[in-house]
Amino acid sequence: MSTGRRELWVEEPVGRRRLPDPVRTAAVRAVLVTSLTLIQAVVAYLFTVTGSWLAFPLVLSGIGSTVVATWAVLDVWVTGQVWKQRYGVVSEPSSTARQLRRERRRARRAAREAARIRKQVPQAATPPVPHVQAGPQASQQAPQASQAPQASRASKASQPGPGELSRA
């Protein structure tokens, strides 16, 4: 038989991760120092209003406390940064950054592979250039040199051009 009462204590999932111990310690220290500084500022104001001789020393120590409180708050930030640098940030498997890096890596690999293929194909398909000799034999070889480009054009028709794959 149900009475319709709710339980007194209900566990709920935590929205954020717990702070690391050094960061939490620095945060507690900063809260304590800041609260003592605010209390000191209020007491210094009340002493000033009443005209007490303790007002001046309390205002001077309040200035020092403000510096210490600022230092304590900065210590929380610095401790958090050091913690992140030493122990890293926990990465989720479904992280968007990881997926983007993976895609960029694949694109770079594909580009490198395509460049490597482009470099290999033109070197294999380039016909050797005929050398022309100077001197008395050059006039005898001149008609042969003019026929060489026509022959190479005919052989180029069957060879693949740069960026093309052979159909053999």
Side-chain angles (χ1 to χ4, degrees):
M1 203 165 123
S2 164
T3 59
R5 287 185 173 183
R6 287 182 43 192
E7 290 184 31
L8 184 61
W9 187 268
V10 179
E11 292 284 334
E12 294 182 5
V14 178
R16 292 195 304 167
R17 293 173 45 93
R18 182 177 168 178
L19 284 174
D21 288 339
V23 179
R24 192 171 60 251
T25 304
V28 168
R29 189 182 320 119
V31 166
L32 290 174
V33 170
T34 305
S35 62
L36 288 175
T37 302
L38 289 174
I39 291 170
Q40 189 177 9
V42 169
V43 171
Y45 173 74
L46 292 175
F47 278 0
T48 304
V49 170
T50 59
S52 174
W53 65 273
L54 286 172
F56 182 70
L58 204 55
V59 167
L60 288 179
S61 68
I63 293 170
S65 295
T66 303
V67 171
V68 171
T70 305
W71 187 270
V73 171
L74 281 175
D75 183 47
V76 174
W77 180 73
V78 168
T79 306
Q81 294 299 316
V82 168
W83 180 267
K84 285 179 187 173
Q85 187 175 13
R86 283 186 185 160
Y87 302 106
V89 179
V90 177
S91 177
E92 300 287 328
S94 61
S95 172
T96 312
R98 183 179 291 179
Q99 184 178 2
L100 290 174
R101 271 183 279 148
R102 192 176 295 133
E103 289 172 5
R104 273 187 256 140
R105 225 179 293 129
R106 283 184 190 143
R108 280 196 305 263
R109 281 187 198 138
R112 267 187 271 142
E113 182 70 20
R116 189 177 61 81
I117 290 172
R118 267 187 255 123
K119 280 184 180 179
Q120 288 177 352
V121 170
Q123 291 172 355
T126 314
V129 179
H131 295 286
V132 179
Q133 296 177 352
Q137 297 174 349
S139 61
Q140 294 173 357
Q141 291 182 355
Q144 293 173 355
S146 65
Q147 293 172 0
Q150 293 171 358
S152 67
R153 281 189 210 127
S155 66
K156 276 189 181 179
S158 63
Q159 292 181 354
E164 294 179 5
L165 297 175
S166 65
R167 295 189 180 110

